[in-house]
């Protein structure tokens, strides 16, 4: 799979401060821009004087560059700061081919066949899990780009199943204090 920063990608600076906020913004912008399903939409943590979550849109299909240039023009007209390229090479994918098909409980073989995800890793284990291992998606599957491949980090769950590492409803830090 081609990483989101090649051959054509745009980076969008935002005021989003949480991944949840950035996810919603990315999904809303993709719907508003009527982007094709083969576009990758990622979040990128920015740690400079103004910590925030930036976005990127990328595609590698023929004809993608004009679509993303149009998106760039429309976003710029809305006041977003948009530049060429993704903010970094390790984006967290929110939009990617097949993402909408990852619901319920799937085998890893089905997950890999239905989506742009190329690999699944399990925290704390060096080897890849067997293809018949079941994954409870929680309708929140956020793989990350790693060495040019879209990789989903998972963790063990009850009954020998896996769940994506990222929790769709995380408890805020210090919520019980």
């Amino acid at each position: 799979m081609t990483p989101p920063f090649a051959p054509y990608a745009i980076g969008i600076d935002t005021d989003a401060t949480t991944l949840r906020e950035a996810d919603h913004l990315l999904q809303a912008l993709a719907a508003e821009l009527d982007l094709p399903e083969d576009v990758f939409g990622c979040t990128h943590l920015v740690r400079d004087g103004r910590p925030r979550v930036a976005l990127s849109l990328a595609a590698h299909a023929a004809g993608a560059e004009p679509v993303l240039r149009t998106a760039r023009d429309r976003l710029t007209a809305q006041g977003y700061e948009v530049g060429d390229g993704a903010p970094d090479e390790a984006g967290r994918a929110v939009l990617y081919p097949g993402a909408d098909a990852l619901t319920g409980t799937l085998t890893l073989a089905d997950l890999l066949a239905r989506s742009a995800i190329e690999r699944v890793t399990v925290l704390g284990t060096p080897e890849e899990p067997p293809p018949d291992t079941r994954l409870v998606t929680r309708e929140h599957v956020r793989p990350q780009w790693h060495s040019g491949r879209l990789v989903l980090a998972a963790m063990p769950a009850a009954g020998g199943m896996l769940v994506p590492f990222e929790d769709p409803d995380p408890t805020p830090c210090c919520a019980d204090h």
Side-chain angles (χ1 to χ4, degrees), residues 89-112:
E89 296 180 357
R92 173 184 160 272
V94 176
L95 306 173
Y96 51 92
D100 292 342
L102 304 181
T103 61
T105 301
L106 305 168
T107 66
L108 296 184
D110 287 339
L111 175 123
L112 297 172

Side-chain angles (χ1 to χ4, degrees), residues 15 20 22 30 76 79 123 130 136 153 168:
D15 290 325
R20 178 177 279 192
T76 301
L123 299 179
V136 180

Side-chain angles (χ1 to χ4, degrees), residues 171-177:
T171 302
C173 179
C174 306
D176 61 345
H177 300 280

Side-chain angles (χ1 to χ4, degrees), residues 93-154:
V94 176
L95 306 173
Y96 51 92
D100 292 342
L102 304 181
T103 61
T105 301
L106 305 168
T107 66
L108 296 184
D110 287 339
L111 175 123
L112 297 172
R114 292 180 186 182
S115 73
I117 298 171
E118 294 182 75
R119 183 171 177 238
V120 177
T121 61
V122 179
L123 299 179
T125 61
E127 58 277 332
E128 290 189 35
D132 62 343
T133 304
R134 293 177 19 186
L135 177 90
V136 180
T137 67
R138 301 180 298 194
E139 282 65 45
H140 190 84
V141 181
R142 301 292 188 264
Q144 289 195 304
W145 288 99
H146 182 72
S147 299
R149 297 177 74 194
L150 202 53
V151 179
L152 177 66

